[in-house]
Amino acid sequence: MAFKSEDDAKAYWKENVGIMIKLLVVWFIVSFGCGILFVEELNAIKIGGYKLGFWFAQQGAIYSFVILTLVYAKLMASLDRKYGVDDE
Amino acid sequence: MELQTLTYIVVGLTFALYMGIAVWARAGSTKEFYVAGGGINPVANGMATAADWMSAASFISMAGLIAFMGYGGSVFLMGWTGGFVLLAMLLAPYLRKYGKFTVPEFIGDRFYSKTARIVAVVCLIICSVTYVIGQMKGIGVAFSRFLEVSYDVGLLIGMFIVFFYAVLGGMKGITYTQIAQFCVLILAYTIPAIFISLNLTGNPFPQLGLGSTMAGTDVYLLDRLDQVVGELGFAEYTTQARLSTMNMFAYTMSLMIGTAGLPHVIIRFFTVPKVKDARASAFWALIFISILYTTAPAVAGMARLNLINTIEPAAGENLAYDERPQWFKNWETTGLLEFEDKNGDGKIQYNADKTTNEMVKIDRDIMVLANPEIAQLPNWVIALVAAGGLAAALSTAAGLLLAISSAISHDLLKGVIAPEITEKQELMASRIAMAAAIAGAGYLGFNPPDFAAGTVALAFGLAASSIFPALMMGIFSKSINKEGAIAGMIAGITITLLYVFQHKGIMFIADTSFLGDMSANWFLGIEPNAFGVVGAIVNFVVAFAVSKVTAEPPQEVQDLVEHIRVPCGVEEAHDH
């Protein structure tokens, strides 16, 4: 184990899970929330020719997924550095 | 130049490229054969993963499905991309840290049980074989339509190409050909879409074109589409749901966790050097995949509109059958398009009413394949689409075949039956397993079993209900033990299979379905294809309950879990 202490290992894992849960909440909102559960409400708003709910289901959710995986990779890289467990 | 000649040239060039790569990227060790040596750059791996993932179904069928399902088709768009978020955060980095060759190997070690490993191998083989049949059929169809050779000859040529680079190069050869195949397929998909978007809206980006106004008017394309499908009696395109909200929710979730649990995708993440590369690779894979997945809905909407405009250029003015365009005739000869002049007026009526609709068959696959012809694009674009469809089918088939052959040679042979064999012998065994897998897949392509059509959904259902939960619990819980994991996997698969079989027939034989394929009997209104998520929940619950009442995992397994949670000190992918 490369951590300085047992506490460090626990703290690292806790922060890791925290990042994951926050991003998964966004993952859920943009797809299941905006694209399915609240699609009718959002469809009342139009952006160009797109009804907003329809846009989320066929475009927006996918763009959000791309951003989420990028943010995850960045946040985890800095977390690894903070605890000195990055693999350089 | 003649379309036929042009198609031969384009397809021939791409095949020569794949063969060239195969000769250059031969595998010399089991590590190269299983994980391409473990030194693939994350961007390159992202591209290979995208080709691995995007199959004949994504390339040929998906836009057609969406064209007729409208908003309801969103389940495929969100499901097949959202799974990569789960893969990136829940599985890929940890499985890479663990640093072995196959998915069943992790399950066997984490649950300290050969039985668990064998159960995982069985799940893997069922998922991958059902999936590979679809790719083989895609190869045969693409050949027979575009190159006018018979389905069987087309399939043989396809098998030969895959054989050449997969047996010779294993994961290494597959990785580099997949990168080339991604380039071919993404160009083949986007170029026609750009032309069509320009034609209809004047906007070169299909993603924006779908939300733009029709060229030369101030009517939005989607409003126009909603209007014309409405006039023909179809459901409104942008709001047409897939059954219920509950069903769309379950369907999307099942596809997402099924995607994250598909072994041929997971093993791609074993080929990068470090944990942070696995995370980055998931991002790159999703970028490359999203190019196709955000273009597909535009292709879908625009193809539907083009089709209707061809048949009925203005309300009430229907196309005369004798004046039908060339593409219409071409696809009629394939049997994928059928017209029946019900009212005998010599004109084509297309609408939602079964008694007066004269377009008695429009196969959804036509929407992508005939799209460039419907939009009157130049011949080289049509030739490129043929090469793209073949690239999509070949790249996915190769990835699946590697997952199958490594499960046989590494998990069954080296892991269980004959652990004493040397690396050289195992490498030879893995090549033989690959050759056998190709022969088996080819056989199923020549003689597709009756239940083939129904089984692709089963692949996602099984991956979702067995492999994904086992992997996730193996990483995020230290208390799930072997009894729990095995019971969970078996319970998850069983309930998913039972649900599919009770509505679709045992092994999809129609007469044996004991509840009938009727929505009245669906659990919470969930269609059988969307049931994987329920199987997954059952798996989680059973695994937790059984683990609670049996002995906790031994200390060294708990240490293994601690070990894979820390990114540093990645071992090279190797076997011990």
Side-chain angles (χ1 to χ4, degrees), chain A residues 14-75:
Chain A
K14 208 177 157 196
E15 282 198 52
N16 176 353
V17 172
I19 290 172
M20 198 184 84
I21 290 175
K22 276 181 211 135
L23 295 178
L24 285 180
V25 168
V26 179
W27 163 82
F28 187 86
I29 291 172
V30 294
S31 52
F32 295 98
C34 302
I36 297 176
L37 298 175
F38 299 105
V39 69
E40 282 171 37
E41 289 78 358
L42 288 175
N43 274 346
I45 305 164
K46 272 185 93 170
I47 295 187
Y50 279 119
K51 291 177 178 142
L52 190 57
F54 176 82
W55 179 81
F56 264 104
Q58 300 213 336
Q59 297 279 317
I62 303 173
Y63 299 132
S64 310
F65 295 154
V66 172
I67 295 167
L68 282 172
T69 52
L70 178 66
V71 171
Y72 176 73
K74 294 277 175 219
L75 289 180

Side-chain angles (χ1 to χ4, degrees), chain B residues 162-426:
Chain B
V162 175
F163 183 89
F164 198 78
Y165 66 75
V167 173
L168 212 55
M171 186 57 130
K172 192 177 168 196
I174 289 171
T175 301
Y176 292 107
T177 36
Q178 279 176 337
I179 292 169
Q181 283 157 342
F182 172 78
C183 299
V184 173
L185 83 87
I186 207 70
L187 283 174
Y189 204 84
T190 48
I191 289 174
I194 289 170
F195 274 118
I196 290 166
S197 180
L198 270 174
N199 273 349
L200 284 177
T201 67
N203 194 320
F205 297 101
Q207 293 85 343
L208 301 177
L210 187 62
S212 304
T213 52
M214 303 284 290
T217 69
D218 51 8
V219 181
Y220 284 114
L221 188 144
L222 283 169
D223 289 342
R224 172 96 187 107
L225 183 57
D226 278 343
Q227 183 205 336
V228 294
V229 296
E231 283 167 1
L232 298 177
F234 295 102
E236 190 179 66
Y237 189 84
T238 56
T239 55
Q240 169 193 4
R242 174 81 181 163
L243 306 173
S244 62
T245 299
M246 179 68 199
N247 184 63
M248 284 197 59
F249 190 98
Y251 208 151
T252 306
M253 190 63 98
S254 296
L255 293 178
M256 283 189 186
I257 58 182
T259 300
L262 283 175
H264 74 285
V265 181
I266 295 174
I267 55 174
R268 284 240 47 100
F269 292 92
F270 297 170
T271 66
V272 295
K274 290 172 183 170
V275 170
K276 70 174 173 101
D277 300 323
R279 296 181 195 133
S281 209
F283 160 71
W284 285 108
L286 201 47
I287 279 257
F288 294 128
I289 291 167
S290 69
I291 299 173
L292 188 144
Y293 273 71
T294 55
T295 306
V299 171
M302 291 174 188
R304 181 90 182 266
L305 195 59
N306 270 338
L307 178 77
I308 294 172
N309 281 343
T310 306
I311 295 172
E312 196 169 339
E317 272 179 46
N318 293 57
L319 179 74
Y321 182 66
D322 291 338
E323 289 163 23
R324 67 195 187 285
Q326 188 59 41
W327 62 264
F328 199 111
K329 294 174 193 163
N330 291 349
W331 288 98
E332 274 182 315
T333 57
T334 63
L336 296 179
L337 199 64
E338 273 174 47
F339 167 77
E340 187 191 329
D341 197 0
K342 288 181 181 160
N343 61 3
D345 67 352
K347 291 183 174 183
I348 305 172
Q349 271 87 25
Y350 171 51
N351 57 51
D353 181 353
K354 280 203 169 68
T355 55
T356 58
N357 175 36
E358 300 180 342
M359 295 298 294
V360 285
K361 181 169 183 190
I362 306 174
D363 191 282
R364 57 179 191 240
D365 290 354
I366 290 180
M367 302 309 278
V368 165
L369 297 176
N371 213 2
E373 296 168 275
I374 298 176
Q376 297 168 335
L377 300 181
N379 278 350
W380 64 269
V381 178
I382 303 172
L384 193 59
V385 171
L390 284 167
L394 285 171
S395 58
T396 305
L400 289 161
L401 289 163
L402 185 87
I404 296 169
S405 65
S406 60
I408 294 170
S409 63
H410 191 63
D411 292 309
L412 285 187
L413 189 68
K414 173 86 179 170
V416 178
I417 299 169
E420 71 285 355
I421 57 171
T422 63
E423 201 206 308
K424 257 212 154 76
Q425 288 171 314
E426 192 190 342

Side-chain angles (χ1 to χ4, degrees), chain B residues 59 79 131-132 140 143 150 163 192 214 267 271 278-280 307 332 360 444 499 519 546:
Chain B
F59 188 93
Y131 217 106
V132 90
F143 265 107
S150 74
F163 183 89
M214 303 284 290
I267 55 174
T271 66
R279 296 181 195 133
L307 178 77
E332 274 182 315
V360 285
L444 292 170
Y499 191 76
S519 42
V546 172

Side-chain angles (χ1 to χ4, degrees), chain B residues 361-549:
Chain B
K361 181 169 183 190
I362 306 174
D363 191 282
R364 57 179 191 240
D365 290 354
I366 290 180
M367 302 309 278
V368 165
L369 297 176
N371 213 2
E373 296 168 275
I374 298 176
Q376 297 168 335
L377 300 181
N379 278 350
W380 64 269
V381 178
I382 303 172
L384 193 59
V385 171
L390 284 167
L394 285 171
S395 58
T396 305
L400 289 161
L401 289 163
L402 185 87
I404 296 169
S405 65
S406 60
I408 294 170
S409 63
H410 191 63
D411 292 309
L412 285 187
L413 189 68
K414 173 86 179 170
V416 178
I417 299 169
E420 71 285 355
I421 57 171
T422 63
E423 201 206 308
K424 257 212 154 76
Q425 288 171 314
E426 192 190 342
L427 182 59
M428 181 47 82
S430 56
R431 290 194 208 273
I432 295 170
M434 175 64 84
I438 294 171
Y443 175 80
L444 292 170
F446 286 122
N447 308 291
D450 290 339
F451 58 85
T455 51
V456 178
L458 196 58
F460 282 94
L462 286 178
S465 63
S466 62
I467 299 171
F468 177 80
L471 291 175
M472 197 184 150
M473 289 184 292
I475 295 163
F476 287 88
S477 162
K478 281 189 220 170
S479 60
I480 299 294
N481 60 18
K482 73 173 173 198
E483 291 85 359
I486 295 170
M489 278 194 281
I490 292 175
I493 300 177
T494 309
I495 193 145
T496 308
L497 276 179
L498 277 180
Y499 191 76
V500 174
F501 286 169
Q502 77 177 0
H503 293 293
K504 299 245 178 200
I506 296 164
M507 295 318 289
F508 302 94
I509 300 161
D511 294 344
T512 60
S513 75
F514 36 97
L515 281 183
D517 189 8
M518 45 188 148
S519 42
N521 291 327
W522 287 351
F523 175 70
L524 297 176
I526 299 174
E527 60 186 306
N529 289 358
F531 203 69
V533 62
V534 182
I537 293 169
V538 169
N539 185 334
F540 281 120
V541 171
V542 169
F544 271 101
V546 172
S547 298
K548 268 258 180 294
V549 296

